[in-house]
Amino acid sequence: MENLYDILQSNPGATVEELKKAYTQLILKYHPDKTPQKHNLPASQTNTEKFIQVDRAWKILSDPELRAQFDAKWYERSLVQDLPIQETVHIKDFDFDSCENVYTYPCRCGSCYVLSELESQVRFDIVCCETCSLTVQVIYEEKL
C-alpha cells in the first residue's frame, strides 16, 4: 500500500493547505511537459508516472471523506501487516461486483476476501477474510 502522505512529501498531521502547497510544487516538478529529468526517481519510474501518482494522492487526501477513509485503512494496514500471508493474489484475479463496487476473492474457508474500490485505488495490499483469520497479499500492476 502506498503512503499517500509520503508521495506528497507531507505527514498525516498536515493541513489541506499544506498538502495543496506540496501537491502544487510536485505537480510542477514532475509535469510530463517539463524536461524529462529523473529527479532522483527509481529507474523504472518516469516523470509521467510520478505525476500520476502525485495527482492520485492529492485527489484522495484533498477530499475530507476519502482522507478519513485512507487514514483508517492506513491504520488498519499497520495492524494487519504482521499477520502471516496465506497467499499472494494479483488484483486481476479478484472478481469485481459492480452492484456493491467491491472486488472479491474466494477464501478456502468458504467466505471471501473483500477489497473496496477505494482500497484498490490506494493499493491496499493486505486483505483479511471476512470470516476467518486468513490473509492474502494483493499485487497490483507495476505501472500506474
Side-chain angles (χ1 to χ4, degrees):
M1 179 175 181
E2 298 171 315
N3 184 338
L4 302 181
Y5 294 104
D6 284 351
I7 292 169
L8 291 182
Q9 299 175 2
S10 298
N11 63 62
T15 65
V16 174
E17 292 79 21
E18 291 169 331
L19 292 173
K20 185 175 184 177
K21 182 178 178 180
Y23 163 76
T24 302
Q25 290 173 345
L26 292 168
I27 283 297
L28 291 172
K29 181 177 180 178
Y30 296 115
H31 196 282
D33 291 343
K34 300 284 185 189
T35 310
Q37 298 169 352
K38 288 293 181 187
H39 299 295
N40 298 320
L41 295 175
S44 64
Q45 192 173 34
T46 66
N47 282 0
T48 301
E49 291 167 334
K50 184 67 176 173
F51 177 86
I52 292 168
Q53 187 180 41
V54 167
D55 190 56
R56 185 177 68 237
W58 167 249
K59 285 177 181 173
I60 292 169
L61 295 179
S62 65
D63 180 302
E65 186 177 321
L66 293 177
R67 183 176 181 178
Q69 290 177 25
F70 171 78
D71 289 344
K73 283 296 165 189
W74 186 255
Y75 178 72
E76 179 182 331
R77 186 189 187 289
S78 70
L79 295 176
V80 299
Q81 69 185 0
D82 293 330
L83 295 174
I85 304 296
Q86 306 302 316
E87 186 178 356
T88 301
V89 181
H90 196 282
I91 188 66
K92 290 180 183 175
D93 294 331
F94 277 72
D95 293 321
F96 185 71
D97 181 340
S98 58
C99 294
E100 299 287 329
N101 286 331
V102 295
Y103 294 87
T104 59
Y105 184 79
C107 179
R108 68 181 185 208
C109 77
S111 186
C112 60
Y113 302 96
V114 177
L115 189 66
S116 74
E117 198 166 13
L118 173 68
E119 290 169 335
S120 70
Q121 288 174 355
V122 297
R123 297 177 177 218
F124 196 65
D125 58 348
I126 299 176
V127 182
C128 297
C129 174
E130 287 193 318
T131 306
C132 70
S133 61
L134 297 177
T135 60
V136 294
Q137 181 175 18
V138 182
I139 304 298
Y140 295 87
E141 292 294 325
E142 291 297 320
K143 291 194 172 199
L144 299 172

